[in-house]
Amino acid sequence: MARVMADRGIAAVFSYAGRTEQPRKQPIPLRVGGFGGVDGLVRYLRDTGITHVVDATHPFAAQMSRNAVAACRATGVELAALTRAAWQPQPGDIWRNVADIEAAVAALSGPRRRVLLALGRMHLARFAVQPQHHYLLRLVDEHGALPLPEYTSVIARGPFTFADDMELMRQYDIDLVVSKNAGGNGARAKIDAARALKVPVIMIDRPALPARLELFGPDQVLDWLDHSGTDRGV
Ligand SMILES: NC(=O)c1ccc[n+]([C@@H]2O[C@H](COP(=O)([O-])OP(=O)(O)OC[C@H]3O[C@@H](n4cnc5c(N)ncnc54)[C@H](OP(=O)(O)O)[C@@H]3O)[C@@H](O)[C@H]2O)c1
């Protein structure tokens, strides 16, 4: 999306939360860090004269998405979410759907497994109450000790291919995957690999979000921008 905006010469700024140490560079101006809740975002939108917000956050970044809805409503700024359809189970998938992280933790009660915990770093501590498992973690940044009794971590940044994830799951003898239902292609290789290897998946459903315009690709966002005027900034 950022590349398309740069190519079109659309005045736009890219916002990162600032969670990773070396965020990917972007071809448009960048800002990093929280806005300070809804009030902070309202101030930012007013101060910068932004006319359109494209919420391209991860489907599980519910707080930011809720803040964007509230701040755009308060300021009259146009809002669209650039998102992707949730994954649907296919023949051969062995999924257990759970509502949230807490339910995923509960679903891990039972005998020892070798678990690919594909969740990023933020929620790891909550899995410490299921210490019987060996956890395989794939994280973006190098880290110190993590709050789990027994784990292996691999430092790598997606997107990953089907071959990558087949290799990873075979190498570590994974017999259970815990995944958020992110949707899209960038993170789906582990789900395809789990199907191929007949490994069950605890699939965490997406959080509910307020109603908003949802678009499913950069082209749709460009159409939306073309039809609602972008003389100032996105
Ligand atoms: N949650 C995931 O599974 C996941 C996976 C991959 C990538 N990410 C990305 O990591 C970032 C943080 O995710 P999260 O789940 O912690 O979000 P979150 O819970 O929805 O947001 C927490 C706070 O982080 C700040 N924030 C989040 N996204 C921001 C952005 N793009 N620009 C500026 N501030 C932002 C906001 O702070 P203020 O209230 O101070 O504005 C927000 O209230 C998001 O941009 C998301 O797209 C998340």
Side-chain angles (χ1 to χ4, degrees):
M1 183 79 257
R3 197 171 53 243
V4 169
M5 286 191 180
D7 289 349
R8 291 282 184 106
I10 295 171
V13 64
F14 191 112
S15 177
Y16 274 127
R19 295 281 195 279
T20 56
E21 279 164 22
Q22 289 181 322
R24 216 183 282 271
K25 291 202 171 67
Q26 297 295 340
I28 56 177
L30 198 63
R31 64 163 302 286
V32 181
F35 296 96
V38 176
D39 292 347
L41 184 54
V42 163
R43 256 193 316 276
Y44 177 83
L45 295 176
R46 289 198 171 126
D47 290 351
T48 52
I50 295 283
T51 57
H52 295 69
V53 170
V54 180
D55 175 2
T57 56
H58 189 273
F60 281 73
Q63 188 61 54
M64 187 67 242
S65 292
R66 290 187 187 115
N67 291 359
V69 169
C72 287
R73 193 174 294 148
T75 51
V77 167
E78 301 276 352
L79 169 70
L82 171 57
T83 188
R84 48 214 182 186
W87 296 318
Q88 301 299 329
Q90 295 181 21
D93 278 325
I94 313 164
W95 286 11
R96 172 165 174 196
N97 285 82
V98 295
D100 50 25
I101 301 269
E102 203 180 324
V105 172
L108 280 175
S109 65
R112 174 179 172 82
R113 311 291 289 264
R114 293 184 61 83
V115 181
L116 171 57
L117 192 55
L119 297 185
R121 207 166 142 182
M122 273 186 306
H123 305 290
L124 296 184
R126 297 170 69 179
F127 289 83
V129 297
Q130 303 286 8
Q132 69 275 35
H133 306 298
H134 181 275
Y135 293 99
L136 175 63
L137 314 167
R138 185 160 53 189
L139 302 173
V140 174
D141 292 317
E142 295 289 346
H143 55 80
L146 297 173
L148 289 171
E150 201 197 312
Y151 65 86
T152 306
S153 70
V154 174
I155 307 301
R157 192 187 289 247
F160 302 102
T161 65
F162 177 69
D164 292 337
D165 283 0
M166 287 292 281
E167 166 67 21
L168 183 82
M169 288 169 65
R170 282 194 177 125
Q171 184 184 351
Y172 291 97
D173 208 12
I174 294 302
D175 56 14
L176 184 65
V177 173
V178 179
S179 172
K180 295 175 176 173
N181 194 333
N185 292 324
R188 70 165 301 137
K190 58 183 176 283
I191 304 307
D192 295 336
R195 180 184 318 115
L197 296 170
K198 301 186 172 47
V199 167
V201 177
I202 295 176
M203 183 62 79
I204 306 172
D205 292 336
R206 293 171 171 208
L209 292 172
R212 60 199 180 147
L213 173 65
E214 294 198 335
L215 303 173
F216 295 91
D219 289 350
Q220 290 186 13
V221 173
L222 285 183
D223 280 352
W224 170 70
L225 291 172
D226 283 347
H227 291 99
S228 49
T230 49
D231 52 332
R232 283 186 295 158
V234 180

